[in-house]
């Protein structure tokens, strides 16, 4: 029988187990080399959804991911818009624009 996770410590432990520090570090390194988050995640055999859900649970990783995505984003795209997101930008502003639209 499975029980719902209502304990934040257990939620954090599960996120750490699914995406350990070594995987998170390798992901950030790939992003800094210019890889798209979807491609970097696929190379590490994790899903982009797992990357972003882990980033929401593990705040320091989330901050590092957002900073890296912002630093590596294409300056020619209109950030903070759904258009930017549709052109594969996953910076915090483009993700926020998509959430506001939905």
């Amino acid at each position: 029988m499975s029980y719902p996770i209502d304990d934040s410590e257990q939620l954090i432990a599960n996120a750490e187990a699914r995406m350990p520090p070594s995987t998170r570090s390798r992901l950030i390194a790939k992003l800094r080399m210019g890889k798209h988050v979807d491609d970097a995640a696929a190379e590490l055999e994790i899903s982009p959804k797992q990357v972003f859900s882990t980033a929401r649970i593990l705040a320091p990783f989330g901050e590092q991911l957002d900073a890296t995505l912002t630093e590596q984003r294409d300056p020619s795209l209109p950030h903070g818009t759904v258009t930017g997101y549709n052109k594969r930008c996953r910076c915090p502003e483009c993700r926020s624009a998509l959430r506001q639209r939905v």
Side-chain angles (χ1 to χ4, degrees):
M1 177 188 255
S2 73
Y3 296 94
I5 297 175
D6 56 1
D7 182 20
S8 62
E9 290 178 9
Q10 185 64 47
L11 187 64
I12 291 168
N14 290 346
E16 289 272 358
R18 283 191 308 269
M19 197 169 165
S22 62
T23 302
R24 296 191 307 264
S25 294
R26 291 189 347 231
L27 175 75
I28 295 297
K30 288 177 180 293
L31 296 176
R32 288 184 178 152
M33 290 187 307
K35 294 244 183 214
H36 187 272
V37 67
D38 294 351
D39 301 330
E43 289 178 11
L44 295 170
E45 299 179 354
I46 54 178
S47 71
K49 182 177 181 177
Q50 184 178 355
V51 170
F52 291 108
S53 66
T54 300
R56 282 191 299 275
I57 296 166
L58 304 176
F61 171 63
E63 292 167 7
Q64 184 180 29
L65 178 65
D66 283 348
T68 302
L69 291 172
T70 299
E71 177 183 304
Q72 296 297 320
R73 68 186 180 182
D74 182 348
S76 69
L77 294 177
H79 298 285
T81 67
V82 175
T83 300
Y85 187 89
N86 288 340
K87 293 191 181 247
R88 295 190 69 192
C89 182
R90 297 301 182 258
C91 76
E93 289 92 9
C94 289
R95 293 193 326 264
S96 177
L98 184 71
R99 282 192 303 270
Q100 289 175 3
R101 184 165 189 216
V102 173

